[in-house]
Amino acid sequence: MSKVTFSVIKADVGGLAGHHAVVPEELKVAEASLAAAQKSGLLLDHYVTAVGDDIQLIMTHRKGPESKEIHDLAWRTFKEVTDKVSKPMKLYGAGQDLLSDAFSGNLRGMGPGYAEGEFDERPSEPVLAMMADKTEPGAWNWPLYKIFADPMSTPGLVIDSKMRKGFVFRVMDMQADKFVDLKAPEESYEILALLGTTGRYAVQSIWRRADNELAAVSSTSRLSFMAGRYVGKDDPCMFIRVQAGFPATGEALDPFAFPHLVAGWTRGSHIGPLMPVGLKDAKCTRFDGPPRVVALGFQITDGKLIGPADMFDDIAYDRARQEANRMADFMRQHGPFMPHRLGPEEMEYTQLNDILKSLESRMKPSAEMLVVPA
Ligand code: F6R
Ligand code: MG
Ligand code: MG
């Protein structure tokens, strides 16, 4: 049997009442488009959902990652949703993530984000698709390190012989458009040195060293770097293969019980807690957030998707949500001050830059400090 490819491709092509959520009509059009592709034999299976204002196309097929046919399908689907629903309804930001009219068959640099990987389906193949709104790919850095490199979080790293050799972290420098492969555990400090800079470095994929099996893939696009101006945050997606030599489902979910601080809250310019939620709460409200993450569990069975299980729709995450709300109160009190607001490097493409420019001519040397203001 040839390998199965798991693709999670997402885009924001229009929101209801702002950058808040999608309307059911958008999902209906996307669903019909993928159902037709499945009928034609291109897809093995699909599942369409949304997290906040982002439509998520979850697909299985045999075309491999970055396949022209699959990317073309995703692009056409987002375009159709835009033309048939978002634009006629004048939804907010209709078509916003479709950066160019000239689509050439690959989504790289085109706006939508994607996490794709191919592998031999195991006798039982559980995977978790994770999708977040109002944040960026670097938001996965902290949990992915915990899951795949921290034995205090993932006991499988100690107990499971397939995991004990560790994992390779393929880390992307999103600014330079380069990547480096680093080995955990022996290069943990190098890994942390990069992953700590969440706005620039992100994990693109993780591989099990015992046999070079693919363990996880994340979307690593950054719209702001692509477009050279602020065009929205790259709300990220990823997937993790779990169990039997990979992290247990619970080991992959556990780090999210701590709502760590991530960038991307309002105007893509603020830091806030990443709140784990079920699909029913995957909508952004307070201060356009707080940033939210959903985890959907599937079995891939002969290429078909069984599920999903809505993992964070569970009382075990109630405390994390409460904590996230408390952290949101705490962060909000800072108003426009860092570290709630991002630092100047990250604000480069926002309108704040215009203010700085407009003040340039009024900036005087410090030697003139004793002069009384005019
Ligand atoms: C969008 C986002 C929002 C917007 C904000 C302002 O992903 O995070 O917080 O940045 O609502 O949007 P505009 O400038 O379109 O009014
Ligand atoms: Mg949006
Ligand atoms: Mg979004």
Coordinates of all heavy atoms in Angstrom, one line a residue, residues 53-98:
D53 N -11.9 32.5 12.9 CA -12.3 32.9 11.5 C -11.5 32.1 10.4 O -11.5 32.5 9.3 CB -12.0 34.4 11.4 CG -10.6 34.8 11.7 OD1 -9.7 34.0 11.9 OD2 -10.4 36.1 11.8
D54 N -10.9 31.0 10.8 CA -10.1 30.3 9.9 C -10.8 29.0 9.5 O -11.2 28.2 10.4 CB -8.7 29.9 10.4 CG -7.9 31.2 10.7 OD1 -7.6 31.9 9.7 OD2 -7.6 31.4 11.9
I55 N -11.0 28.8 8.2 CA -11.5 27.5 7.7 C -10.4 26.5 7.6 O -9.3 26.8 7.2 CB -12.1 27.7 6.3 CG1 -13.4 28.6 6.4 CG2 -12.6 26.3 5.7 CD1 -13.9 28.9 5.0
Q56 N -10.6 25.3 8.1 CA -9.6 24.2 8.2 C -10.1 23.1 7.3 O -11.1 22.5 7.5 CB -9.5 23.7 9.6 CG -9.3 24.8 10.7 CD -7.8 25.3 10.7 OE1 -6.9 24.6 10.2 NE2 -7.6 26.4 11.4
L57 N -9.2 22.8 6.3 CA -9.5 21.6 5.4 C -8.6 20.5 5.8 O -7.4 20.6 5.7 CB -9.2 22.0 3.9 CG -9.9 23.3 3.4 CD1 -9.4 23.6 2.0 CD2 -11.4 23.3 3.5
I58 N -9.2 19.5 6.4 CA -8.4 18.3 6.8 C -8.6 17.2 5.8 O -9.8 16.8 5.6 CB -8.8 17.9 8.3 CG1 -8.6 19.1 9.2 CG2 -8.1 16.7 8.7 CD1 -9.2 18.9 10.6
M59 N -7.5 16.7 5.2 CA -7.7 15.8 4.1 C -6.7 14.6 4.1 O -5.6 14.8 4.6 CB -7.4 16.6 2.8 CG -8.4 17.7 2.6 SD -8.0 18.8 1.2 CE -6.7 19.8 1.9
T60 N -7.1 13.5 3.6 CA -6.2 12.4 3.4 C -6.2 12.1 1.9 O -7.2 12.2 1.2 CB -6.6 11.1 4.2 OG1 -8.0 10.9 3.9 CG2 -6.3 11.3 5.6
H61 N -5.0 11.7 1.4 CA -4.9 11.5 -0.1 C -3.5 10.7 -0.3 O -2.8 10.4 0.7 CB -4.9 12.8 -0.9 CG -3.9 13.8 -0.4 ND1 -2.7 13.9 -0.9 CD2 -4.0 14.8 0.6 CE1 -2.0 14.9 -0.3 NE2 -2.8 15.4 0.6
R62 N -3.2 10.4 -1.5 CA -1.9 9.7 -1.8 C -1.0 10.6 -2.7 O -0.1 10.0 -3.3 CB -2.2 8.4 -2.5 CG -3.2 7.5 -1.7 CD -2.7 6.1 -1.6 NE -3.7 5.2 -0.9 CZ -3.6 4.9 0.4 NH1 -2.6 5.3 1.2 NH2 -4.5 4.1 0.9
K63 N -1.2 11.8 -2.7 CA -0.4 12.7 -3.6 C 0.9 13.3 -3.0 O 1.7 13.9 -3.7 CB -1.3 13.9 -4.0 CG -2.6 13.4 -4.7 CD -2.2 12.8 -6.1 CE -3.5 12.4 -6.8 NZ -3.2 11.7 -8.1
G64 N 1.1 13.1 -1.7 CA 2.3 13.6 -1.1 C 2.2 15.0 -0.7 O 1.2 15.7 -1.1
P65 N 3.1 15.6 0.2 CA 3.0 17.0 0.6 C 3.3 17.9 -0.6 O 4.0 17.6 -1.5 CB 4.1 17.1 1.7 CG 4.7 15.8 1.9 CD 4.2 14.9 0.8
E66 N 2.7 19.1 -0.5 CA 2.9 20.1 -1.5 C 2.5 19.6 -2.9 O 3.2 20.0 -3.9 CB 4.3 20.7 -1.5 CG 4.7 21.3 -0.1 CD 5.6 22.4 -0.2 OE1 5.8 23.0 -1.2 OE2 6.1 22.8 0.9
S67 N 1.5 18.8 -3.0 CA 1.1 18.3 -4.3 C 0.3 19.5 -5.0 O -0.5 20.2 -4.4 CB 0.2 17.1 -4.1 OG -0.9 17.2 -5.1
K68 N 0.6 19.6 -6.3 CA 0.0 20.7 -7.1 C -1.6 20.5 -7.1 O -2.3 21.4 -6.9 CB 0.5 20.6 -8.5 CG 0.1 21.8 -9.4 CD 0.9 21.6 -10.7 CE 0.8 22.7 -11.7 NZ -0.3 23.4 -12.0
E69 N -2.0 19.2 -7.2 CA -3.4 19.0 -7.3 C -4.1 19.3 -6.0 O -5.2 19.9 -6.0 CB -3.7 17.5 -7.6 CG -3.4 17.1 -9.1 CD -3.3 15.6 -9.2 OE1 -2.2 15.0 -8.9 OE2 -4.3 15.0 -9.5
I70 N -3.5 19.0 -4.9 CA -4.1 19.2 -3.6 C -4.1 20.7 -3.2 O -5.1 21.2 -2.8 CB -3.4 18.4 -2.5 CG1 -3.5 16.9 -2.8 CG2 -4.0 18.7 -1.1 CD1 -4.9 16.3 -2.8
H71 N -3.0 21.3 -3.5 CA -2.9 22.8 -3.2 C -3.9 23.5 -4.1 O -4.5 24.5 -3.7 CB -1.5 23.3 -3.4 CG -0.6 23.0 -2.2 ND1 0.5 23.7 -1.9 CD2 -0.7 22.0 -1.3 CE1 1.0 23.2 -0.8 NE2 0.3 22.2 -0.4
D72 N -4.0 23.1 -5.4 CA -5.0 23.7 -6.3 C -6.4 23.5 -5.8 O -7.2 24.4 -5.8 CB -4.8 23.1 -7.7 CG -5.6 23.8 -8.7 OD1 -5.3 25.0 -9.0 OD2 -6.5 23.2 -9.3
L73 N -6.7 22.3 -5.3 CA -8.0 22.0 -4.7 C -8.3 23.0 -3.5 O -9.4 23.6 -3.5 CB -8.1 20.6 -4.3 CG -9.3 20.2 -3.4 CD1 -10.6 20.3 -4.2 CD2 -9.1 18.8 -2.8
A74 N -7.3 23.1 -2.6 CA -7.5 24.0 -1.5 C -7.7 25.4 -1.9 O -8.6 26.1 -1.4 CB -6.3 23.9 -0.5
W75 N -6.9 25.9 -2.9 CA -7.0 27.3 -3.4 C -8.4 27.5 -4.0 O -9.1 28.5 -3.7 CB -5.9 27.6 -4.4 CG -5.9 29.0 -4.9 CD1 -6.5 29.5 -6.0 CD2 -5.3 30.1 -4.2 NE1 -6.4 30.8 -6.1 CE2 -5.6 31.2 -5.0 CE3 -4.5 30.3 -3.1 CZ2 -5.1 32.5 -4.7 CZ3 -4.1 31.6 -2.8 CH2 -4.4 32.6 -3.6
R76 N -8.8 26.6 -4.9 CA -10.1 26.7 -5.5 C -11.2 26.7 -4.5 O -12.2 27.4 -4.6 CB -10.3 25.6 -6.5 CG -9.7 25.8 -7.9 CD -10.2 24.8 -8.9 NE -9.5 23.5 -8.7 CZ -10.2 22.4 -8.2 NH1 -11.5 22.5 -8.0 NH2 -9.5 21.3 -8.1
T77 N -11.1 25.9 -3.5 CA -12.1 25.8 -2.4 C -12.2 27.2 -1.7 O -13.3 27.7 -1.5 CB -11.8 24.7 -1.4 OG1 -11.7 23.5 -2.2 CG2 -12.8 24.5 -0.3
F78 N -11.1 27.7 -1.3 CA -11.1 29.0 -0.6 C -11.7 30.1 -1.5 O -12.4 31.0 -1.0 CB -9.7 29.4 -0.1 CG -9.2 28.5 1.0 CD1 -7.9 27.9 1.0 CD2 -10.0 28.1 2.1 CE1 -7.4 27.1 2.0 CE2 -9.6 27.3 3.2 CZ -8.3 26.8 3.1
K79 N -11.3 30.0 -2.8 CA -11.8 31.0 -3.7 C -13.3 30.9 -3.9 O -14.0 31.9 -3.9 CB -11.0 30.7 -5.1 CG -11.2 31.8 -6.1 CD -10.0 32.8 -6.0 CE -10.1 33.9 -7.0 NZ -11.3 34.8 -6.8
E80 N -13.8 29.7 -4.0 CA -15.2 29.5 -4.1 C -16.0 30.0 -2.9 O -17.0 30.6 -3.1 CB -15.4 28.0 -4.3 CG -16.7 27.7 -5.1 CD -16.9 26.2 -5.3 OE1 -15.9 25.4 -5.5 OE2 -18.0 25.7 -5.3
V81 N -15.4 29.7 -1.7 CA -16.1 30.2 -0.5 C -16.1 31.7 -0.6 O -17.2 32.3 -0.2 CB -15.3 29.7 0.7 CG1 -15.9 30.3 2.0 CG2 -15.4 28.2 0.9
T82 N -15.0 32.3 -1.0 CA -15.0 33.8 -1.1 C -16.0 34.3 -2.0 O -16.8 35.2 -1.7 CB -13.6 34.2 -1.5 OG1 -12.6 33.7 -0.6 CG2 -13.4 35.7 -1.5
D83 N -16.0 33.7 -3.3 CA -16.9 34.2 -4.3 C -18.4 34.0 -4.0 O -19.2 34.8 -4.4 CB -16.5 33.7 -5.7 CG -15.1 34.2 -6.1 OD1 -14.7 35.2 -5.5 OD2 -14.5 33.5 -6.9
K84 N -18.7 32.8 -3.5 CA -20.1 32.4 -3.3 C -20.7 32.8 -2.0 O -21.9 33.0 -1.9 CB -20.2 30.9 -3.4 CG -20.1 30.3 -4.8 CD -20.5 28.8 -4.8 CE -20.5 28.3 -6.2 NZ -20.4 26.8 -6.2
V85 N -19.8 33.0 -1.0 CA -20.4 33.4 0.4 C -19.8 34.7 0.9 O -20.5 35.6 1.1 CB -20.1 32.2 1.4 CG1 -20.7 32.6 2.7 CG2 -20.7 30.9 0.8
S86 N -18.5 34.7 1.1 CA -17.9 35.8 1.9 C -18.1 37.2 1.2 O -18.5 38.2 1.8 CB -16.4 35.7 2.0 OG -16.1 34.4 2.3
K87 N -17.9 37.2 -0.2 CA -18.1 38.5 -0.9 C -19.6 38.9 -1.0 O -19.9 40.0 -0.6 CB -17.4 38.5 -2.2 CG -15.9 38.7 -2.1 CD -15.2 38.9 -3.4 CE -13.8 39.3 -3.1 NZ -12.9 39.0 -4.3
P88 N -20.5 38.0 -1.4 CA -21.9 38.4 -1.5 C -22.4 38.8 -0.1 O -23.2 39.7 0.0 CB -22.6 37.1 -2.0 CG -21.6 36.3 -2.6 CD -20.3 36.7 -2.0
M89 N -22.0 38.1 1.0 CA -22.5 38.5 2.3 C -21.7 39.6 2.9 O -22.0 40.1 4.0 CB -22.3 37.3 3.3 CG -23.3 36.2 3.1 SD -23.2 35.0 4.5 CE -24.4 33.8 4.1
K90 N -20.7 40.1 2.2 CA -19.8 41.2 2.7 C -19.3 40.8 4.0 O -19.3 41.6 5.0 CB -20.5 42.5 2.7 CG -21.0 43.0 1.3 CD -21.4 44.4 1.3 CE -21.8 44.9 0.0 NZ -22.2 46.3 -0.1
L91 N -18.8 39.6 4.2 CA -18.2 39.1 5.5 C -17.0 40.0 5.7 O -16.4 40.5 4.7 CB -17.9 37.6 5.4 CG -19.1 36.7 5.4 CD1 -18.7 35.3 5.4 CD2 -20.1 37.0 6.5
Y92 N -16.5 40.0 6.9 CA -15.4 40.9 7.2 C -14.1 40.2 6.7 O -13.8 39.0 7.0 CB -15.3 41.2 8.6 CG -14.3 42.4 8.8 CD1 -14.7 43.6 8.3 CD2 -13.1 42.3 9.3 CE1 -13.9 44.7 8.3 CE2 -12.2 43.3 9.3 CZ -12.6 44.6 8.8 OH -11.7 45.6 8.9
G93 N -13.3 40.9 5.9 CA -12.0 40.4 5.4 C -12.2 39.3 4.4 O -11.5 38.4 4.3
A94 N -13.3 39.5 3.5 CA -13.6 38.5 2.5 C -12.4 38.2 1.6 O -11.8 39.1 1.0 CB -14.8 38.9 1.7
G95 N -11.9 37.0 1.6 CA -10.8 36.6 0.7 C -9.5 37.1 1.2 O -8.5 37.0 0.4
Q96 N -9.4 37.5 2.4 CA -8.1 38.2 2.9 C -6.8 37.3 2.8 O -5.8 37.9 2.5 CB -8.3 38.7 4.3 CG -8.2 37.7 5.4 CD -7.8 38.2 6.8 OE1 -8.3 39.3 7.2 NE2 -6.9 37.5 7.5
D97 N -6.9 36.0 3.0 CA -5.7 35.2 2.9 C -5.3 34.7 1.5 O -4.3 34.0 1.4 CB -5.8 34.0 3.9 CG -5.6 34.3 5.3 OD1 -5.3 35.5 5.6 OD2 -5.7 33.4 6.2
L98 N -6.1 35.1 0.5 CA -5.7 34.8 -0.8 C -5.0 35.9 -1.4 O -5.6 36.9 -2.0 CB -7.0 34.4 -1.6 CG -7.9 33.4 -1.0 CD1 -9.2 33.1 -1.9 CD2 -7.2 32.1 -0.8

